[in-house]
Amino acid sequence: MSDALAPAIRIAATRRVTEEAPLTRYLLIGVAVAFLGLFLLLPLAVVFTEALTKGAGAFFATFDEPDARAAIRLTLLVAAIVVPLNAVFGICAAWAISKFSFPGKSVLITLIDLPFSVSPVVSGLVYVLVFGSQGLLGPTLSSHGIQIVFAIPGIVLATIFVTFPFVARELIPLMQEQGTVEEEAALTLGASGFRTFLTVTLPNIKWGLLYGVLLANARAMGEFGAVSVVSGHIRGLTNTIPLQVEILYNEYNIVSAFALASLLAGLALVTLGIKTLLEWRYAGQIAGRRRH
Amino acid sequence: MEIRIEGVEKDFGDYPALRAVDLTIARGELVALLGPSGSGKTTLLRAIAGLSNPDRGRILFDSEDATTLSVQERRVGFVFQNYALFKHLTVADNIAYGLKVRPRRTRPSRAEIAERAARLLEFVQLDGLGARYPAQLSGGQRQRVALARALAIEPRVLLLDEPFGALDARVRKDLRRWLRDVHRQTGLTTVFVTHDQDEAMELADRVVVLDKGRIEQIGTPDELYDRPASPFVLSFVGEALALPVQVADGKVIFQGKELHVSSENLRNGPARVYFRPADIALHGGQIGALEGRVEAVRRTAAGLRASISIPGYDQTVEVDTDDRVGTTLGSSVPLSLNNVRIFSTAAEETLGDGAGI
Amino acid sequence: MSASTQIVKRKARSFPAPSVIPGFRATFGFTLFYLSLVVLFPLSMLVIRASELGLAGLYGVAVEPRVAAALRTSFFISFAAAAIDVVFGLVTAWVLTRYEFPGRRFLDAIVDLPFALPTAVAGIALAALYAPNGWLGEPLADYDIKIAFTRWGILVALVFVGLPFVVRTVQPLLAEIDVELEEASATLGASRAHTVWRVLLPPILPALLTGFALAFARSVGEYGSVIFIAGNLAYISEIAPLLIIVKLEQFDYAGATGIATIMLAISFAVLLAINLIQAWSQKRFGHV
């Protein structure tokens, strides 16, 4: 009798009540893997494959093109202006919002998040409405020889707009969680306000800051819609990498288009890699992954 | 250094956190701010430190008006409730922090800072742990680091917010004794906040009892225990029972019978007779004014403990006795009270002492 | 209080609430300044231009056949894409949080790819993949299925774009489910399917709705990943954001403003819906 019962007991012990039957489990895993493979991995693979169809020579030749080089330079320049500005803004906003209590705080947070709910094309459009030839300030500025849209300043502004919330919305919840007690301790020990920020606050938020900067940078370098509206598409002058990719693709210069695109795809992979690393290693020191 | 608090008031929105607080803490004194949560004790401590400023009134350090000084200028050693140690700094760097942030003119040399941190580590009995990070320490050790860090700046006063709140019972006991030693060795004027009356009574020279933002009483532990100024102090400092009575023409009436307690200065009307559990006893002799019924008897290590109900009083009273015969279940027993205090219920005001019934 | 006591009178109320932490004026001031300059001022320009059009003008733009067709296309396909994302996003989130299998961590990281990959790159990659000579387009063409340069292409691109919103909204909740809840359900005699359906999923529902709304909102405004694969035929496969650009190129600022305003209004309606869902969820389940 005990022999007859033994296998039944063993089966009951291997499958916990909180698990699905193995078949269901494999089926679900299969569906998820197939879906992610089809929709995420395959497009990614296409980028690198298409870039290398004509061999490494054609791939690298892309980057010798003056227009491609200009696009890369412009993208780096824009990111170098936009990311630090938005990082400083993010720190200031997070400091004011998380370390103090004042009425209207939630409205302010909503306003900071606003650019995320605006279509990239609309983000570009609003700058055209302000600085375009029919815009509010456009005619005045152009009479003084200042060109904003269809020039680099417009690209910078549109990129600032679309990456505006990244650092702030990473730091705000993080700093709210951390409270003010360590800062108070530093103050009682005689540290000045700025010193307190540098020696106490900054070390506490450094990984969160890096996380936010990383995401802002990826978006800044890859932004297409908003920049497309304000750029004017002047080759060698106002084309960022994504815009140059578009032009090459539309000219059926597929290898060059994908070669340049692979640069951005590589950046995306590096970003994801560091982001994942930060989430594993410093889970407690970043506000973590939330919606973007 | 002497701390003088004059007419300090503070509101949080419409809620008065501190009301007309006057208090002088003498040089070298060890004072406890005792009260339930929301009584304003932490608010008062933070006001002394300069972490929050009073809406009205002022705080003097010796004769200097500290209210106008910033928190940095006040040079107070503040130990936070959850220690607020800097997680990213080693224990030694935590302790040295206050010295390192000094302006160059007054900053000691690197070597001197390191030496002072080492000396403080030794002082708080943590020598050898300077290279650890706060996360690698036990609660009691963190508490010591927090204290060492506060002492490093050579503070004029030492302020501690619920210093033992986050620790388990055994560590608390050790640290209490140790804090007493630290106070003796440093001679610093020390103020600590607690909601634990045992802690306040055991440690402090004087205890300030706060309730609803007001000082209820200031006194030595003996004074608080023996001569509580209000029903609040009486019930907060130790356990207390209260019989509802009527005062009429100098007589104190409970359930239609007169209790023989002196009732001088008491207004006519409803009042309460307060006493401590230890002050009630089974009266050996004749039936007195106060009478109870034995509801249950249990054996204890020392003798017997009887649960006695008193008609007209809604709680049962636990009385220790060794009288096996007099405490048969259900029998009536005479009770005597010692050291009762009477407060009139109407205005919650004093007073009337009673030696016994 | 003795007469000699000097009373320092301070302001009873202040903005912000009193604090010893320094730096409020500077940081708050800069925050407001920068926010106004970069975000609020340009956006208000759109509002002003739209109010010049008036409701009648906006309506006129909206019913223009080409605009109406583009808005319809954007809406219906975004809705369908978000719905597909909800189904597969839930399965993905479930598998990633509940099961251990080789490659799980890699897949978990790669879910964020649509956030990280520039939209133009995703766009040309999808177009190349589904084009008649592409890896997927070629075999599908054998069955007479055309995806690239049709509305199906738009759907594929929007499913790609919206997926992480659903997964990342649902995942934390799935991770926090108390195992005891499932065990309780099992001890009460419920089958596994019943437990999943009646115990585990209901608290997830608000998150699914939120994820749906986020994916939908993002899809309606999406531009870069769509235009390469869409074909962009007016009245058929032209999306609203593209039409804004077309209008701008024709210097039809009023038309562009009109479409942008309608899209913005929809974004805010969705945002409001999300907030309502979350408020309801907070009340009903005690979490968002």
Side-chain angles (χ1 to χ4, degrees):
Chain A
M1 184 157 166
S2 68
D3 279 351
L5 271 179
I9 290 169
R10 206 175 302 135
I11 288 165
T14 47
R15 195 189 143 201
R16 297 199 323 248
V17 294
T18 54
E19 268 178 8
E20 285 72 43
L23 191 65
T24 321
R25 213 156 62 216
Y26 294 137
L27 191 71
L28 287 174
I29 293 177
V31 168
V33 170
F35 183 78
L36 294 183
L38 185 68
F39 275 87
L40 302 184
L41 293 180
L42 218 46
L44 192 62
V46 163
V47 175
F48 294 104
T49 323
E50 290 282 344
L52 293 166
T53 38
K54 301 241 170 82
F59 177 83
F60 288 112
T62 306
F63 303 103
D64 286 334
E65 289 288 322
D67 286 354
R69 285 177 171 250
I72 293 171
R73 265 199 307 275
L74 180 57
T75 296
L76 292 176
L77 174 72
V78 170
I81 298 171
V82 167
V83 175
L85 265 178
N86 279 347
V88 169
F89 160 75
I91 291 169
C92 285
W95 182 269
I97 287 171
S98 64
K99 304 286 180 193
F100 299 87
S101 68
F102 54 89
K105 190 186 276 191
S106 58
V107 176
L108 184 59
I109 295 176
T110 307
L111 289 178
I112 289 173
D113 270 351
L114 205 56
F116 276 160
S117 37
V118 174
S119 165
V121 171
V122 178
S123 313
L125 171 71
V126 294
Y127 284 103
V128 175
L129 292 181
V130 175
F131 297 111
S133 54
Q134 298 176 32
L136 181 71
L137 305 176
T140 323
L141 287 173
S142 65
S143 72
H144 288 84
I146 301 169
Q147 176 88 358
I148 304 280
V149 280
F150 311 131
I152 294 172
I155 296 176
V156 170
L157 282 173
T159 310
I160 287 181
F161 188 99
V162 294
T163 58
F164 184 82
F166 279 103
V167 176
R169 75 156 23 195
E170 169 60 32
L171 291 184
I172 290 168
L174 182 66
M175 284 165 72
Q176 275 176 333
E177 203 177 295
Q178 287 173 346
T180 56
V181 69
E182 284 189 40
E183 282 79 11
E184 286 179 354
L187 294 176
T188 63
L189 294 169
S192 68
F194 190 63
R195 182 97 194 197
T196 299
F197 171 77
L198 281 185
T199 55
V200 174
T201 313
L202 203 55
N204 277 337
I205 62 170
K206 63 178 178 223
W207 297 116
L209 183 61
L210 178 63
Y211 190 90
V213 162
L214 197 70
L215 297 181
N217 179 63
R219 181 72 192 268
M221 291 191 167
E223 178 53 29
F224 178 65
V227 171
S228 182
V229 175
V230 295
S231 120
H233 305 270
I234 306 164
R235 280 177 185 240
L237 278 181
T238 62
N239 273 343
T240 59
I241 302 178
L243 296 177
Q244 186 67 18
V245 167
E246 182 192 24
I247 289 178
L248 292 169
Y249 186 82
N250 287 340
E251 288 172 346
Y252 300 104
N253 193 344
I254 303 297
V255 169
S256 292
F258 277 100
L260 261 189
S262 69
L263 208 61
L264 291 173
L267 172 75
L269 286 180
V270 170
T271 302
L272 280 187
I274 302 177
K275 175 174 171 293
T276 308
L277 196 74
L278 287 178
E279 281 164 3
W280 289 347
R281 279 217 55 187
Y282 304 104
Q285 296 169 53
I286 52 179
R289 86 170 37 134
R290 281 158 296 107
R291 295 169 236 127
H292 299 252
Chain B
M1 192 192 65
E2 180 195 76
I3 305 170
R4 214 158 79 225
I5 295 157
E6 295 178 346
V8 159
E9 308 211 327
K10 172 114 189 138
D11 302 326
F12 290 140
D14 294 327
Y15 173 75
L18 289 176
R19 292 189 275 185
V21 171
D22 287 298
L23 173 65
T24 302
I25 297 165
R27 173 189 295 265
E29 209 178 7
L30 177 54
V31 166
L33 303 179
L34 175 68
S37 62
S39 59
K41 54 193 193 302
T42 296
T43 310
L44 182 57
L45 192 77
R46 288 172 63 87
I48 297 172
L51 286 170
S52 74
N53 273 317
D55 297 329
R56 288 167 288 280
R58 58 178 195 163
I59 295 165
L60 296 151
F61 285 1
D62 285 332
S63 55
E64 182 186 16
D65 185 354
T67 335
T68 59
L69 295 180
S70 71
V71 54
Q72 290 99 334
E73 290 162 338
R74 287 196 200 188
R75 206 150 55 82
V76 295
F78 199 101
V79 177
F80 289 81
Q81 186 169 6
N82 292 307
Y83 323 131
L85 294 179
F86 305 130
K87 295 182 281 293
H88 60 288
L89 297 181
T90 62
V91 166
D93 285 339
N94 261 284
I95 296 174
Y97 185 89
L99 299 173
K100 286 184 180 166
V101 298
R102 284 194 189 166
R104 188 153 312 194
R105 281 180 296 108
T106 54
R107 193 191 314 154
S109 71
R110 258 163 200 270
E112 201 180 324
I113 290 177
E115 198 236 297
R116 261 213 251 173
R119 241 190 359 240
L120 276 161
L121 268 174
E122 196 182 327
F123 179 71
V124 297
Q125 299 154 20
L126 290 175
D127 10 351
L129 298 186
R132 295 248 187 120
Y133 284 90
Q136 298 166 307
L137 300 180
S138 72
Q141 289 172 327
R142 282 181 215 173
Q143 170 71 279
R144 286 158 196 253
V145 176
L147 189 79
R149 184 178 71 175
L151 291 174
I153 63 168
E154 294 166 319
R156 299 195 278 180
V157 287
L158 189 58
L159 307 172
L160 305 98
D161 187 7
E162 293 277 4
F164 313 113
L167 301 169
D168 59 56
R170 203 178 48 79
V171 184
R172 282 172 98 120
K173 282 246 150 64
D174 289 349
L175 275 177
R176 260 189 228 177
R177 206 168 312 129
W178 176 72
L179 182 66
R180 185 88 234 185
D181 292 343
V182 167
H183 175 251
R184 210 186 43 240
Q185 287 172 47
T186 61
L188 279 169
T189 310
T190 303
V191 184
F192 71 98
V193 155
T194 179
H195 64 271
D196 180 338
Q197 43 108 2
D198 281 342
E199 213 162 87
M201 297 304 215
E202 188 185 323
L203 265 174
D205 299 330
R206 279 198 305 156
V207 178
V208 178
V209 184
L210 287 123
D211 184 41
K212 301 191 182 100
R214 224 189 271 285
I215 292 183
E216 287 277 329
Q217 189 171 4
I218 305 170
T220 63
D222 282 347
E223 284 166 351
L224 290 185
Y225 207 82
D226 295 337
R227 287 191 297 283
S230 69
F232 174 82
V233 176
L234 200 134
S235 19
F236 198 73
V237 180
E239 210 181 322
L241 300 160
L243 292 180
V245 296
Q246 287 289 330
V247 177
D249 305 329
K251 291 177 179 167
V252 177
I253 312 291
F254 175 66
Q255 291 286 301
K257 292 182 185 169
E258 187 187 347
L259 297 178
H260 297 284
V261 295
S262 72
S263 56
E264 290 160 41
N265 308 325
L266 269 179
R267 253 192 283 169
N268 284 350
R272 279 176 200 276
V273 170
Y274 288 87
F275 56 95
R276 305 217 178 265
D279 290 331
I280 190 165
L282 294 188
H283 193 48
Q286 75 282 23
I287 304 280
L290 198 58
E291 195 176 303
R293 212 178 97 95
V294 180
E295 298 289 345
V297 185
R298 272 170 296 133
R299 174 69 218 218
T300 63
L304 296 174
R305 178 168 299 158
S307 298
I308 293 170
S309 64
I310 302 172
Y313 182 59
D314 54 4
Q315 277 172 281
T316 56
V317 186
E318 304 277 313
V319 181
D320 285 328
T321 175
D322 48 12
D323 181 0
R324 201 173 277 275
V325 186
T327 54
T328 43
L329 223 54
S331 61
S332 287
V333 285
L335 300 167
S336 65
L337 296 176
N338 282 309
N339 297 321
V340 304
R341 316 256 317 157
I342 306 177
F343 294 97
S344 130
T345 343
E348 296 268 80
E349 70 179 23
T350 13
L351 235 170
D353 288 307
I357 299 178
Chain C
M1 222 174 297
S2 67
S4 65
T5 310
Q6 204 185 333
I7 295 171
V8 182
K9 181 89 183 162
R10 286 187 177 76
K11 258 193 298 178
R13 300 263 164 123
S14 60
F15 182 96
S19 167
V20 285
I21 307 287
F24 181 77
R25 271 158 179 267
T27 56
F28 185 77
F30 178 67
T31 300
L32 273 194
F33 169 75
Y34 191 69
L35 176 71
S36 309
L37 190 75
V38 179
V39 176
L40 299 184
F41 168 57
L43 271 181
S44 65
M45 210 47 228
L46 181 70
V47 177
I48 290 168
R49 286 277 179 269
S51 65
E52 286 167 6
L53 282 176
L55 273 181
L58 281 178
Y59 183 77
V61 171
V63 295
E64 202 181 293
R66 190 172 171 186
V67 175
L71 286 172
R72 253 199 316 274
T73 305
S74 277
F75 273 83
F76 285 124
I77 301 180
S78 294
F79 195 90
I84 294 172
D85 280 331
V86 164
V87 174
F88 288 97
L90 177 60
V91 172
T92 303
W94 178 273
V95 165
L96 289 179
T97 41
R98 309 280 302 202
Y99 304 145
E100 194 58 58
F101 57 95
R104 186 184 66 83
R105 288 193 146 194
F106 170 72
L107 285 185
D108 192 22
I110 215 77
V111 164
D112 281 332
L113 186 73
F115 285 152
L117 194 67
T119 55
V121 177
I124 62 168
L126 289 170
L129 198 56
Y130 290 93
N133 61 350
W135 291 356
L136 292 172
E138 202 165 358
L140 286 171
D142 292 346
Y143 298 93
D144 264 346
I145 300 173
K146 250 191 112 211
I147 290 192
F149 319 125
T150 69
R151 293 177 158 201
W152 295 106
I154 303 178
L155 184 70
V156 167
L158 293 183
V159 167
F160 171 85
V161 161
L163 181 69
F165 289 96
V166 177
V167 178
R168 295 303 185 220
T169 316
V170 175
Q171 213 173 8
L173 284 184
L174 282 176
E176 275 165 23
I177 290 178
D178 190 352
V179 178
E180 282 189 2
L181 216 62
E182 299 168 58
E183 288 172 347
S185 175
T187 60
L188 295 170
S191 71
R192 183 62 194 158
H194 193 274
T195 300
V196 171
W197 193 248
R198 303 301 293 269
V199 177
L200 299 187
L201 287 188
I204 305 290
L205 188 65
L208 276 177
L209 282 175
T210 303
F212 175 85
L214 288 167
F216 174 75
R218 169 69 195 265
S219 294
V220 168
E222 180 56 30
Y223 173 71
S225 51
V226 177
I227 54 157
F228 294 97
I229 197 177
N232 307 326
L233 285 172
Y235 301 101
I236 298 172
S237 56
E238 186 174 57
I239 53 166
L242 175 65
L243 196 52
I244 293 180
I245 291 190
V246 171
K247 295 263 177 203
L248 273 180
E249 281 168 357
Q250 296 165 351
F251 299 102
D252 178 5
Y253 281 34
T257 304
I259 304 172
T261 309
I262 293 165
M263 286 175 54
L264 211 59
I266 289 150
S267 298
F268 291 154
V270 171
L271 215 62
L272 186 70
I274 292 172
N275 282 331
L276 290 178
I277 293 168
Q278 291 185 340
W280 167 68
S281 169
Q282 188 70 45
K283 223 168 90 186
R284 173 77 177 69
F285 299 106
H287 62 68
V288 173

